[in-house]
Amino acid sequence: MSNKEEWNRILQIIGDDACDEDKEFKGNCVRKFNFLRTIFYIVVFGSAFYIFQGGRLIPHDSTWLRLIVVAILLTEILYLKQKRVLHRELNRYAFRECRPDKGLSRYLSFVPTTLNKQMLWSVTQYNFGSILYRLGKIDKASKCLGLMQEASATANNMLIALHLKQLIALYYNDYDTVKSCADEGCKLYPKARHSIWNFKIYKDLQLYRDYAYCCINNDYEKIYTVLGTPQERHLDEVARQYYLYLTAKKLGDIENAEKYKKYISENAGTTWYGKAVEADFIPEEKPDNYPGYVVSDEKLHNPSKVDRERLKYLLIGVLIVLLFYYLPRLF
C-alpha cells in the first residue's frame, strides 16, 4: 500500500475531528527541517559519488576532500539540530502538555510533507491513536490501533501498540487486558531498542498493571502507594491524578477526591480527563472491534529485526552506493 493510501486511511478515521493546520509550525519548523534534510542528503550522496568514482571522472584533490569532510560535518550538525527541534515541537502538545487538539493540528501539518519519503506507519498510527485517545475519541483511537495490527512486526512497534491498547483498556476499566498488555510488554522490551521513549512506555505498562492488580483485588488503599510518585510530564501527571481521583471516590475519601478533582479541572486542558471528573460525564461504549489489536505468539517470541519500511529504504541506499561504485568504472 502506498504512503498516500495509508495516509488516507488515517484521515478517514479522523474524519470531522480534523482541524486546521498549524501554519506557523509548518512554515518555520517543518520546512526548515525538510530543507536541511535535503541539503544533507545531497552533500552525503554527492560526496559518496566523488569518493567512489576514484578520480576517473573528477580528479581527486586533497583540498576537495577536506571541503567534503567539513561540508558533511556542518550539514549533519545543522540537520540533527533541526531534527531535535522538530521532534520536540511536534510532540510537545501531543505527549507532554495537555493540548492534544494542538498536537493533532501539528501532526496534520507535518505528515503530508513526508509522504514522498520514508514513513514508519506503525509509529504514525500510534501517534494519531494516542492523540485521539487523549481527546476522548476512544472509538477512533481504537481504529488507529486496529491499523497497527498489520503494520507492527518489530518489537519496537508492538511495544507502542500495546501501550495504546492498554490506555484504551484503562478507559473501559478492562483490568485483565491492562495486565496482559504489561505481561506481553515484558517479553518484548528486552528485544526492543532501549530508547528513552521505549523505556518510558515499558515503565508505564508496568505501573498500570500494578494499578489493575489493586483494582481487581479491591486493594484501593495500595493504589495511593502504587501511583504515589509524581510524573515528570504534565500530561502523565494529569492522568495519574485522574486514577487517584477514581481511587479516592472508591474509598469515600472526599478530601483527597476533591483535591485531585481540582487539580484535574485546572490542568486537564483539552484532554478528556477534565470532562471525566464532571458529574454529567458519559464515557464512550466499547467499540465493536475492541480491543482491536492482538499480538500473536509467533510475533511475540520472534519479532522482526528490521521494520519492513526501513528495509525497503536500506536496500535503496545499498543500490545507490553500488551504483556510485560501479558506474564510474564503465567509463
Side-chain angles (χ1 to χ4, degrees):
M1 190 175 292
S2 69
N3 283 346
K4 187 174 181 180
E5 289 172 326
E6 291 282 9
W7 177 229
N8 284 334
R9 292 207 296 175
I10 292 177
L11 288 179
Q12 288 174 4
I13 292 173
I14 296 172
D16 296 336
D17 292 315
C19 49
D20 294 335
E21 293 182 343
D22 189 330
K23 293 182 179 179
E24 182 180 355
F25 169 71
K26 184 177 181 180
N28 296 331
C29 200
V30 176
R31 287 180 182 171
K32 187 175 181 180
F33 167 75
N34 287 333
F35 173 76
L36 288 173
R37 179 168 61 178
T38 300
I39 295 299
F40 173 67
Y41 286 162
I42 289 173
V43 170
V44 168
F45 285 124
S47 300
F49 177 77
Y50 177 79
I51 293 170
F52 283 126
Q53 56 91 28
R56 289 175 175 81
L57 301 178
I58 305 172
H60 275 176
D61 179 87
S62 59
T63 302
W64 276 107
L65 287 173
R66 284 194 291 269
L67 288 174
I68 284 173
V69 172
V70 171
I72 290 175
L73 289 175
L74 181 61
T75 55
E76 182 179 17
I77 290 171
L78 293 174
Y79 164 61
L80 292 178
K81 181 180 179 181
Q82 186 59 28
K83 185 178 181 180
R84 286 193 294 271
V85 171
L86 174 70
H87 187 268
R88 183 184 69 242
E89 290 302 316
L90 183 62
N91 293 307
R92 174 183 173 188
Y93 296 107
F95 296 101
R96 283 189 171 273
E97 300 183 18
C98 294
R99 287 294 308 276
D101 56 327
K102 196 168 180 65
L104 180 61
S105 177
R106 290 198 165 183
Y107 265 93
L108 288 171
S109 304
F110 171 68
V111 174
T113 69
T114 66
L115 294 180
N116 62 342
K117 301 177 179 68
Q118 179 183 354
M119 291 292 295
L120 298 179
W121 282 108
S122 56
V123 176
T124 304
Q125 291 154 1
Y126 166 78
N127 291 338
F128 276 99
S130 298
I131 291 169
L132 290 167
Y133 169 81
R134 300 297 185 185
L135 282 169
K137 310 296 181 180
I138 314 301
D139 180 58
K140 294 185 177 185
S142 185
K143 289 178 181 177
C144 286
L145 177 62
L147 296 182
M148 297 186 73
Q149 184 70 57
E150 58 187 86
S152 301
T154 67
N156 290 334
N157 295 343
M158 288 186 281
L159 190 67
I160 60 177
L162 288 172
H163 184 235
L164 179 56
K165 180 179 177 179
Q166 190 189 65
L167 287 174
I168 295 171
L170 279 167
Y171 181 89
Y172 293 119
N173 299 324
D174 180 1
Y175 301 124
D176 288 333
T177 298
V178 171
K179 287 165 45 187
S180 68
C181 288
D183 293 339
E184 290 169 351
C186 284
K187 296 176 182 178
L188 286 170
Y189 181 68
K191 304 170 187 177
R193 182 166 53 90
H194 287 187
S195 65
I196 294 174
W197 183 247
N198 280 349
F199 179 70
K200 178 192 179 305
I201 285 177
Y202 170 73
K203 297 298 287 184
D204 284 352
L205 288 171
Q206 307 317 309
L207 175 67
Y208 285 102
R209 176 187 61 183
D210 294 342
Y211 168 78
Y213 269 117
C214 293
C215 292
I216 290 171
N217 295 322
N218 295 318
D219 191 0
Y220 294 105
E221 287 283 357
K222 189 176 178 181
I223 294 176
Y224 284 151
T225 301
V226 169
L227 298 180
T229 304
Q231 296 291 306
E232 174 194 354
R233 297 169 185 248
H234 187 201
L235 179 59
D236 294 333
E237 178 60 14
V238 168
R240 182 185 77 94
Q241 297 230 12
Y242 172 70
Y243 291 108
L244 286 171
Y245 164 75
L246 294 183
T247 300
K249 284 184 63 180
K250 283 282 187 180
L251 292 169
D253 185 353
I254 298 175
E255 182 179 350
N256 274 321
E258 287 300 317
K259 180 182 72 173
Y260 298 135
K261 179 179 179 179
K262 183 175 185 295
Y263 180 89
I264 295 163
S265 298
E266 292 175 353
N267 294 278
T270 55
T271 66
W272 64 269
Y273 300 111
K275 298 176 182 177
V277 297
E278 301 301 327
D280 59 349
F281 175 68
I282 302 176
E284 285 193 9
E285 296 182 359
K286 287 184 181 179
D288 294 335
N289 66 333
Y290 180 84
Y293 180 86
V294 178
V295 179
S296 67
D297 288 338
E298 181 182 355
K299 283 188 174 182
L300 189 64
H301 294 99
N302 297 293
S304 298
K305 301 296 183 183
V306 182
D307 191 290
R308 60 190 177 191
E309 291 298 324
R310 286 193 186 277
L311 182 61
K312 178 175 69 175
Y313 285 93
L314 283 172
L315 291 174
I316 292 173
V318 170
L319 289 174
I320 292 173
V321 171
L322 291 174
L323 181 64
F324 284 170
Y325 181 78
Y326 286 108
L327 186 60
R329 284 155 178 77
L330 300 178
F331 296 93

